[in-house]
Amino acid sequence: MSDESRPYRTAAVIPAAGRGVRLGPGAPKALRTLNGTPMLIHAVRAMAASRAVSLVVVVAPPEGAPEVKNLLDEHALPQRTDYLVVPGGDTRQESVRLGLDALPDDIGVVLVHDAARPLVPVDTVDAVIEAVRDGASAVVPALPLADTVKEVEPGEKGAPEPVVATPPRARLRAVQTPQGFDRDTLVRAHETVALNGEGATDDAGMVEQLGERVVVVPGHEEAFKVTRPLDLVLAEAVLARRRANDGF
């Protein structure tokens, strides 16, 4: 497809079908509340805050799609942003693929965003979209590491593990979301990786397996992933600071 005919409308796919067991028993992770509002709603609003995003596709737990649809209906989103809710699959990879299948034909740029990263700033979202529109096939926001990282030989849980190597920290980045893609590239990655029976921990990793170039743009400290109970405390603190500073 030529640059002149390429569609540049942008959609965000949010896989939210997981249960988030590390947060403990209760509702699925995406439906846990921050400041009284489910994390999923914060994540959808974070995507919709970008004027470039015209559609958000939420991939819900298969048995919970009607509940998620009702939840989105109850919370205000920018009028320029449409949304869809589709049932997810057994894995994150399958859920993202089902979200891609639901996209209309005029979507050319796709963001894939973790529902568990509810506080990503709009400037980060816009930077990812701009890099894809400038010609990158795959873009990830990321931060330099503050800690030294050790590669180890995995052992039994709780047992000492021997260090194998110490990678140079200057070459390492902690990857966040939203990750942005040329739609055709991402669809091809999902088709190819699934066909080969291979896997990856993120969508950019699937694109890497195609041999395509993935580039990094600066991430943001507030785009952290809410995984453990302490992360909920930190997220509440970030929201309190935003309310105090910006009336968020």
Side-chain angles (χ1 to χ4, degrees):
M1 182 179 293
S2 69
D3 288 342
E4 290 79 10
S5 61
R6 180 184 299 275
Y8 276 119
R9 203 159 76 96
T10 299
V13 175
I14 302 181
R19 295 207 59 84
V21 293
R22 281 177 287 184
L23 278 176
K29 182 195 298 186
L31 302 184
R32 302 292 180 93
T33 60
L34 294 176
N35 191 32
T37 300
M39 276 201 294
L40 175 60
I41 298 301
H42 287 288
V44 171
R45 287 174 174 170
M47 297 298 99
S50 171
R51 298 190 64 84
V53 174
S54 56
L55 173 66
V56 178
V57 178
V58 176
V59 188
E63 72 285 356
E67 177 186 0
V68 171
K69 174 66 165 59
N70 291 337
L71 192 68
L72 288 168
D73 288 341
E74 293 169 1
H75 290 80
L77 298 174
Q79 290 186 355
R80 67 177 184 276
T81 306
D82 294 327
Y83 64 86
L84 296 172
V85 177
V86 299
D90 294 332
T91 66
R92 183 184 188 278
Q93 181 176 322
E94 185 179 355
S95 291
V96 172
R97 181 185 59 78
L98 291 168
L100 290 174
D101 289 345
L103 296 177
D105 292 340
D106 64 346
I107 295 295
V109 177
V110 180
L111 305 179
V112 180
H113 183 57
D114 296 331
R117 297 184 190 271
L119 304 179
V120 57
V122 66
D123 288 350
T124 302
V125 181
D126 287 340
V128 171
I129 296 170
E130 182 177 359
V132 178
R133 288 182 170 180
D134 284 345
S137 295
V139 181
V140 296
L143 292 175
L145 297 183
D147 299 319
T148 297
V149 175
K150 300 291 185 182
E151 181 182 353
V152 302
E153 185 66 40
E156 295 183 7
K157 185 176 181 179
E161 298 173 325
V163 171
V164 175
T166 303
R169 189 172 63 186
R171 295 177 60 88
L172 301 177
R173 298 292 183 270
V175 173
Q176 302 175 325
T177 69
Q179 299 184 357
F181 304 91
D182 166 75
R183 177 185 180 166
D184 293 341
T185 301
L186 183 58
V187 169
R188 184 161 53 92
H190 273 265
E191 292 173 347
T192 303
V193 171
L195 185 64
N196 293 340
E198 299 174 353
T201 57
D202 67 352
D203 293 273
M206 298 172 68
V207 172
E208 288 177 50
Q209 291 181 26
L210 296 179
E212 295 282 351
R213 183 167 177 257
V214 178
V215 300
V216 169
V217 297
H220 195 282
E221 61 183 6
E222 292 182 1
F224 62 91
K225 191 173 186 179
V226 178
T227 303
R228 298 173 176 84
L230 185 59
D231 299 326
L232 286 170
V233 177
L234 178 58
E236 292 279 9
V238 171
L239 284 174
R241 185 181 66 182
R242 289 182 178 182
R243 289 197 303 272
N245 293 343
D246 307 319
F248 176 82

